[in-house]
Amino acid sequence: MRGRRRGPSPLPERAARLWRTLGAAFVLLVFVPPLLLLVSGSLTEPGLPPSPTPQLVPDPLSTTGYQRALDLGGLLRASLNSLLVAVVAVPLSVLVAALAGFALARIAPRTTVVVVAASLVALMVPATALLVPRFAIFRLFGLTDTLVPLIAPALLGTSPLYVLVYYLAFRALPADLYDACLVEDLSPLRTWWRVALPLVRPVTAGLTALTFVLTWSNFLDPLIYIYDRDLFTLPLALRSLSLLDPTNFPVFLAGAVIATVPALVVFALAQRRFLHHDDRAEG
């Protein structure tokens, strides 16, 4: 009597779901309590002495901190400046990194080794070592005290790490897939856009979220290149709020909440993309 053919074991799928559940629980355990304390502190009435113990629900509840944060720190204008930089820099950075990673995966192996080695060496160079030459270049072209120095690194993919991540993702795709594109007479650009890029959407979502957070929270570059208060980004505006006296700490915490919400939204959208991709893969 012939045995019946069995389908794939459900154990790997259950293990993957278990690890995702444990990962989500760990993230909630680590990040949710500080966020709750941050929000509760921002709802404390400014001008009162700080409480000796953290209060999850302050008494009395007040939104005055948010009003003063917007007025004193200019957070609305600073948020718009940060949003402008992110809207331009993030898509441009991901686009350049994706194109470079795809090209790196399709060129000759010898050239790939050289480029990958150079990228790894570039990652070892401290970012602070590039501040002086970059400042000299932007000052030579009269671009200081503008938002251009904050966007310009996106033209290089922001970091060699992004290019290497895309390179590994495109290299992991089956070689037969690229051969089929050649048979269909697809150009390299159309192959990248129509075939390869849709298959690495989780990588794109992850790098987009990472690039947004790094761009949104960038403090050092605006501190060096921007002097006009009307061009301040959100981290610089928060720095001005941090100089307030301790009785006005709810004002600074309110500004921190305003700065944190966009990053949380972007990470939530990226996580949704990851889960949606996993569900389709399991299906």
Side-chain angles (χ1 to χ4, degrees), residues 34 47 61 63 77 99 103 108 115 123 129 136 149 156 161 173 187 198 204 266:
L61 285 173
T63 59
R77 180 183 292 273
L99 284 169
V115 176
L123 286 174
L156 301 177
L161 176 63
L173 298 179
S187 65
T204 301
V266 170

Side-chain angles (χ1 to χ4, degrees), residues 47-272:
L48 298 178
S51 174
T53 58
Q55 294 181 351
L56 188 60
V57 180
D59 185 23
L61 285 173
S62 175
T63 59
T64 307
Y66 289 90
Q67 299 174 3
R68 292 189 182 178
L70 294 175
D71 295 336
L72 297 177
L75 293 189
L76 182 57
R77 180 183 292 273
S79 299
L80 293 177
N81 292 334
S82 293
L83 184 61
L84 175 61
V85 173
V87 166
V88 177
V90 173
L92 184 60
S93 178
V94 174
L95 178 65
V96 172
L99 284 169
F102 180 76
L104 194 60
R106 301 304 300 156
I107 61 178
R110 292 183 179 179
T111 306
T112 300
V113 172
V114 174
V115 176
V116 170
S119 300
L120 293 176
V121 172
L123 286 174
M124 300 178 186
V125 178
T128 54
L130 303 176
L131 293 179
V132 174
R134 286 174 58 188
F135 178 82
I137 293 174
F138 287 126
R139 185 176 182 180
L140 177 64
F141 288 98
L143 297 176
T144 55
D145 206 16
T146 68
L147 297 178
V148 174
L150 308 183
I151 301 175
L155 297 173
L156 301 177
T158 300
S159 171
L161 176 63
Y162 300 167
V163 178
L164 293 178
V165 170
Y166 266 117
Y167 160 68
L168 295 175
F170 288 130
R171 187 184 178 187
L173 298 179
D176 295 340
L177 183 65
Y178 295 116
D179 295 337
C181 293
L182 292 176
V183 172
E184 293 295 331
D185 198 22
L186 292 179
S187 65
L189 187 60
R190 295 179 64 186
T191 301
W192 167 77
W193 177 254
R194 298 179 55 183
V195 179
L197 194 60
L199 294 177
V200 295
R201 286 176 180 173
V203 175
T204 301
L207 289 183
T208 300
L210 178 61
T211 307
F212 177 85
V213 172
L214 293 179
T215 303
W216 185 262
S217 61
N218 187 9
F219 172 74
L220 186 58
D221 288 341
L223 182 64
I224 294 174
Y225 298 115
I226 296 178
Y227 322 119
D228 186 357
R229 189 174 182 85
D230 291 338
L231 295 177
F232 274 12
T233 56
L234 203 52
L236 289 183
L238 287 178
R239 179 176 177 270
S240 64
L241 290 179
S242 66
L243 302 177
L244 298 175
D245 60 89
T247 59
N248 282 321
F249 78 96
V251 179
F252 174 73
L253 295 182
V257 171
I258 295 175
T260 304
V261 168
L264 292 178
V265 172
V266 170
F267 265 112
L269 294 176
Q271 181 65 19
R272 182 180 179 183

